[in-house]
Each structure stands twice: as structure tokens, then as C-alpha cells.
Amino acid sequence: MTNGRCATCYGTGELVTEQGPTTCPDCFGDGNPLGRGAKMEWRLRELERAHRGSGQDAEGDVLWLVHELRRCREALLWIVARCQDADEADPLAKDVKFRAVEALGLYDVKVP
Ligand SMILES: [Zn+2]
């Protein structure tokens, strides 16, 4: 990260490749660094777009993996929500919530 801008494209939103300028794959042309959760969803959409209807051998496998990943992330979100309802003194809920938040990349978790 450079002054809050995407470090890959230096905030321009574009990368110049041998094929010409392309949209930056890390910020999707925005120029600002995205949270990990948002990045994940954009990458999943890009994978789906690239594979759906491609007729390639891997099409079904990739779409299945994207579906399974979304399903697991939804389950993790549900776990985070349930842990937020738990007693704040409950160490198990606190630990489970920390792990789920970290896996989802909801916010930058500072490890002490
Ligand atoms: Zn970028």
C-alpha cells in the first residue's frame, strides 16, 4: 500500500502489459486497495465470468469450487454473527470469532 493507494498500479487502476493497458487485478481499476473480503468476491466473479460457458474441461470444476467457497464463506459469516451474540467473557466464542473473521478477511486483524 502506498499512501492508501493500490501498490500494484500505484493508484492508476491500470497496468501496462505487452498486450497494452489492462485493468489492475488487485484493485479492479479503482486505484484504492480493497479489503480482503471484497477482493475475494471480485476474484470469484472474475473466475466465474472467465469460465462460464467456456466449454473447457475445467468449467464445471471451477464453477463448483466457486460455489463451495461462497457456501463456506456464508457459513463463516453466520458463525461470526452467532459469536457476536455470545457472552463477551466466553473464550471459546471469542476464539472462534477471531478465526472466522481472519479467514473471511473482514478487517485487518492485528496479531499481537
Ligand atoms: Zn491497482
Side-chain angles (χ1 to χ4, degrees):
M1 208 182 299
T2 309
N3 297 327
R5 305 297 281 165
C6 174
T8 307
C9 65
Y10 303 102
T12 63
E14 273 187 355
L15 290 181
V16 179
T17 66
E18 288 176 14
Q19 288 80 39
T22 61
T23 302
C24 175
D26 288 338
C27 67
F28 303 95
D30 184 46
N32 295 306
L34 300 174
R36 276 170 52 208
K39 266 188 199 172
M40 172 71 75
E41 182 51 35
W42 279 105
R43 292 217 164 168
L44 290 178
R45 287 182 195 182
E46 187 58 25
L47 278 169
E48 280 179 319
R49 193 198 56 73
H51 285 86
R52 196 179 298 282
S54 68
Q56 293 174 344
D57 290 346
E59 180 184 343
D61 291 338
V62 170
L63 294 179
W64 174 78
L65 279 171
V66 166
H67 171 77
E68 286 299 310
L69 184 55
R70 278 211 182 96
R71 226 168 50 89
C72 291
R73 290 177 63 81
E74 277 172 26
L76 283 171
L77 276 173
W78 183 85
I79 288 167
V80 169
R82 292 287 296 160
C83 287
Q84 281 167 343
D85 294 339
D87 189 336
E88 278 186 35
D90 183 342
L92 177 65
K94 206 171 162 183
D95 191 40
V96 167
K97 182 183 162 194
F98 177 82
R99 294 282 174 176
V101 164
E102 195 179 43
L104 285 165
L106 289 181
Y107 6 89
D108 292 328
V109 179
K110 303 268 186 296
V111 180

